[in-house]
Amino acid sequence: MTMASPQKITPFLWFNQEAEEAANFYVSLFEDSKILSVVRHGDAGPGPKGSVMVVEFQLAGQKFSALNGGPTFKFTEAISLLVNCDSQEEIDTLWSKLTANGGQEVECGWLKDRFGLSWQIVPSRFFQMMQDKDPKRSQRVMQAMLTMKKFNIARLEEAYAQA
């Protein structure tokens, strides 16, 4: 019996003190997601004994780590998590949950969640349309996308199908 090799690269997310809260929130959004482990500070610190230092979690089968590293660093748009969605319902649900309680809509399928992490909530079909060999079709899709905050699949398909 061969075991699957461990994931070679793991995204590592720096939070002030919200790593466990964020990990629990994120795993509630996706199937095949769970908390894998929680590492707490011991007598040697550097945080208070028993407080959360690192949370390892899985989102849709992908492993992540979250660190309570303090306020030194903040998330920026320079990195985001892209979620390919198969339906408008999935886009709407994720968008609503990720922008709730202080999250922000940005534009072109981008948002920031309440922890400041950027996400791209994108219909899987979007990339197929953008790679069409007819540059006029992909350009119409691009123009439609530029008018949206949250993606609207029907509007993208309409722009794609225009003669």
Side-chain angles (χ1 to χ4, degrees):
M1 169 185 251
T2 56
M3 296 183 63
S5 61
Q7 181 174 305
K8 192 165 190 81
I9 299 172
T10 301
F12 197 86
L13 307 173
W14 181 298
F15 293 86
N16 182 6
Q17 294 298 321
E18 309 88 4
E20 188 171 33
E21 178 186 355
N24 283 319
F25 173 60
Y26 299 150
V27 300
S28 76
L29 300 175
F30 301 97
E31 292 182 22
D32 193 19
S33 299
K34 61 187 172 187
I35 301 295
L36 299 171
S37 68
V38 177
V39 177
R40 298 185 181 279
H41 293 285
D43 289 330
K49 184 178 180 178
S51 65
V52 173
M53 182 170 56
V54 176
V55 179
E56 290 185 319
F57 60 102
Q58 177 179 301
L59 295 181
Q62 169 78 38
K63 183 179 170 186
F64 290 80
S65 291
L67 168 73
N68 278 332
T72 305
F73 300 108
K74 304 280 185 215
F75 291 118
T76 74
E77 293 80 358
I79 190 160
S80 62
L81 301 179
L82 184 139
V83 181
N84 288 299
C85 298
D86 294 328
S87 68
Q88 189 65 49
E89 179 183 10
E90 184 180 11
I91 289 171
D92 294 346
T93 299
L94 284 172
W95 192 270
S96 175
K97 289 179 178 180
L98 286 165
T99 58
N101 301 317
Q104 299 176 296
E105 294 184 350
V106 181
E107 60 188 356
C108 304
W110 292 68
L111 63 83
K112 282 188 180 185
D113 68 24
R114 68 181 183 243
F115 305 104
L117 183 60
S118 292
W119 295 77
Q120 296 177 64
I121 309 302
V122 180
S124 301
R125 176 92 170 99
F126 176 73
F127 295 107
Q128 294 170 337
M129 289 186 276
M130 290 303 298
Q131 294 172 13
D132 193 285
K133 294 191 186 312
D134 180 350
K136 291 179 182 176
R137 293 182 100 178
S138 59
Q139 185 61 33
R140 288 192 307 266
V141 172
M142 177 62 75
Q143 289 300 318
M145 185 261 310
L146 292 172
T147 68
M148 301 176 191
K149 287 191 176 190
K150 177 178 67 173
F151 274 105
N152 180 309
I153 295 173
R155 285 181 45 212
L156 293 173
E157 289 287 0
E158 183 179 296
Y160 184 74
Q162 286 176 354

